[in-house]
Amino acid sequence: LKFRLNYFSNVDYPLSGLTIMIDYPSGFEFIDSAPKSLEKTEWDLGLLNKAEGGRVEISGKLMGEVGEEKVFRARIGSWQDGEFILLREAVRGITIIRPALYITQQINNNPKFIAGPGNLLHYEIFFKNIGEEFLTDMFLLVTLTGLAFDFKTVQAPEGDFTPGDNSIIWDWRKVRDLQLLPPQSEGKIEFWVKLKDEWEVKGLEDKNPEILSRIFLSQVKEEFVNKVNSKLIVSQKGYFSDEVFGNAGPLPPKIGETTTYTIIWQVKNYYNEMKDVKVKATLPKNVNLTGKIFPEEQIDKITFDSQSREIVWNVGDLMVGQGVLNQGPNISFQVSFVPEENQKGETPELISQAKIIGQDQWTGEILQSTAS
């Protein structure tokens, strides 16, 4: 649960050195607070002028027996000579009741699904009557939140989608399980929605994206949050005429003669920090590196295995928006090509598709993509 403590001063003079202290009931486990606390129970407010105020929000878990009352006590005051001088106290109680419904969610058959840009998501929401009474004539509401959603793609066969607040509602008149749900019985609704292939990154405030679904059914509210992977891209281009090295040789190439080309790799990373990023490709047997690499600081980051013919660029770690908000990592290297007799009249391959791979620091997933 989350609870909030609001404070406000209507005293004609400033109050200095103020502190808020909270006493939790038994069975309460502190998780987090905003602002951060001292030892999970104390917040220093400093100076409070007339008509000024603020809020402390605390999240935690509460365990207890049905019918048990849990009491939260908050105090505001100041310390003087080691003694806490109380100015005001607030006490609130919570009664634990037996829930009537248990709600779970899974996306693409996975309760902990990690989504990626462009994914089609199949949501299934299960609701079980764990009470002792029949539940009748219910409505189920799902509200979706997240920059990644493409709300134009929502498909809810038995539900009604409202674009304004991005919510879907299911009516008991259309869904049999909402009309009558006996004790220990389970019902299900489902819908589909796509994530955008790409959405705007303005800065670090957009990092670590999530998609959130809030579910309301009868008197029960549940919230599910799923992480979203970054988007990692490599582009691969080849040139004969370029300003990096200046290539030479016959064009089109001639059998037995050498023509050089410039290959350029550029990398983009969108939404999350990436670790240990590498770009890989292979060279055909009659294509070789000449040793020319630009920029010079990338020379130590590129390797070539003459047995497997694999070329690897160790890009390293990437920040959010690198290559999108600014100039991303890039490397140019020169290759030489000597056509063979059997390639006459063909369009030969100078380099295979390039593959980029790295670990998403937000989701922990290994991401990869390719360039032709």
Side-chain angles (χ1 to χ4, degrees):
L1 60 90
K2 287 185 179 180
F3 65 93
R4 299 176 180 86
L5 189 148
N6 299 304
Y7 57 91
F8 177 79
S9 174
N10 204 28
V11 179
D12 290 333
Y13 49 87
L15 297 171
S16 61
L18 288 181
T19 297
I20 283 179
M21 301 180 68
I22 294 184
D23 300 320
Y24 305 115
S26 61
F28 181 78
E29 177 188 344
F30 177 93
I31 294 177
D32 198 9
S33 69
K36 298 298 182 183
S37 64
L38 302 172
E39 302 299 327
K40 303 179 181 180
T41 60
E42 193 170 322
W43 290 261
D44 285 338
L45 305 184
L47 182 69
L48 193 64
N49 293 307
K50 182 178 181 179
E52 289 183 349
R55 170 182 290 174
V56 175
E57 182 174 276
I58 300 169
S59 60
K61 295 179 180 178
L62 187 62
M63 303 291 290
E65 301 297 324
V66 174
E68 187 177 359
E69 186 175 82
K70 301 289 187 176
V71 176
F72 292 81
R73 176 175 285 104
R75 293 169 288 158
I76 189 169
S78 61
W79 291 97
Q80 294 183 16
D81 300 325
E83 182 181 357
F84 186 74
I85 306 301
L86 179 67
L87 295 179
R88 191 69 184 269
E89 183 179 67
V91 178
R92 294 290 183 272
I94 297 175
T95 302
I96 297 176
I97 63 170
R98 185 182 303 279
L101 284 162
Y102 179 62
I103 299 174
T104 57
Q105 171 189 284
Q106 64 182 29
I107 302 174
N108 296 355
N109 298 316
N110 187 344
K112 296 183 179 180
F113 184 74
I114 295 175
N119 283 172
L120 174 63
L121 308 183
H122 175 208
Y123 277 81
E124 294 175 287
I125 296 170
F126 302 89
F127 46 96
K128 184 175 182 179
N129 183 353
I130 57 175
E132 299 173 354
E133 305 290 334
F134 282 76
L135 299 176
T136 60
D137 301 348
M138 296 183 292
F139 293 88
L140 190 150
L141 176 72
V142 176
T143 301
L144 301 174
T145 305
L147 290 174
F149 281 121
D150 184 354
F151 292 111
K152 297 190 297 293
T153 67
V154 171
Q155 296 182 32
E158 296 179 307
D160 296 310
F161 177 63
T162 306
D165 58 4
N166 302 320
S167 63
I168 313 169
I169 191 166
W170 286 264
D171 189 327
W172 61 269
R173 298 176 185 87
K174 295 181 181 179
V175 182
R176 185 176 179 181
D177 291 333
L178 294 174
Q179 186 175 17
L180 178 64
L181 192 66
Q184 303 308 310
S185 296
E186 185 177 71
K188 182 185 84 168
I189 59 94
E190 60 185 339
F191 65 94
W192 290 260
V193 62
K194 278 194 69 175
L195 297 190
K196 299 171 187 174
D197 292 326
E198 192 176 297
W199 56 94
E200 186 179 3
V201 183
K202 296 179 180 177
L204 291 178
E205 66 272 14
D206 295 324
K207 75 174 184 176
N208 301 347
E210 296 175 327
I211 50 174
L212 184 146
S213 58
R214 291 187 180 90
I215 302 168
F216 301 86
L217 177 59
S218 188
Q219 300 299 314
V220 178
K221 181 181 80 170
E222 286 288 352
E223 185 174 288
F224 298 95
V225 179
N226 295 79
K227 294 181 178 181
V228 179
N229 281 319
S230 187
K231 184 174 184 178
L232 189 60
I233 291 178
V234 60
S235 70
Q236 176 171 252
K237 297 178 181 179
Y239 297 94
F240 176 78
S241 300
D242 77 300
E243 298 178 357
V244 183
F245 305 120
N247 294 295
L251 196 70
K254 293 182 180 180
I255 294 169
E257 297 187 31
T258 301
T259 301
T260 59
Y261 295 89
T262 300
I263 307 296
I264 299 176
W265 285 345
Q266 292 180 309
V267 168
K268 290 182 180 181
N269 175 46
Y270 282 73
Y271 310 115
N272 308 325
E273 294 177 4
M274 298 295 302
K275 189 174 182 64
D276 296 330
V277 176
K278 294 180 174 65
V279 179
K280 303 178 180 181
T282 55
L283 299 180
K285 62 178 181 176
N286 54 341
V287 177
N288 291 286
L289 292 175
T290 67
K292 291 185 177 181
I293 297 171
F294 180 83
E296 290 186 359
E297 60 264 24
Q298 297 292 334
I299 291 176
D300 294 336
K301 296 183 179 182
I302 199 163
T303 59
F304 178 66
D305 184 342
S306 57
Q307 295 297 317
S308 65
R309 311 287 300 167
E310 185 179 61
I311 182 170
V312 179
W313 176 30
N314 291 290
V315 182
D317 299 344
L318 294 176
M319 299 298 292
V320 174
Q322 200 163 347
V324 181
L325 300 174
N326 50 32
Q327 178 68 37
N330 65 87
I331 191 170
S332 302
F333 53 91
Q334 191 183 59
V335 298
S336 63
F337 171 52
V338 182
E340 297 179 348
E341 185 71 36
N342 61 2
Q343 292 181 301
K344 186 175 182 180
E346 296 183 355
T347 303
E349 185 179 86
L350 289 177
I351 190 169
S352 72
Q353 69 174 12
K355 177 189 288 186
I356 187 169
I357 186 168
Q359 185 178 39
D360 192 309
Q361 293 297 91
W362 170 235
T363 65
E365 299 261 293
I366 301 297
L367 306 186
Q368 64 180 42
S369 65
T370 59
S372 60

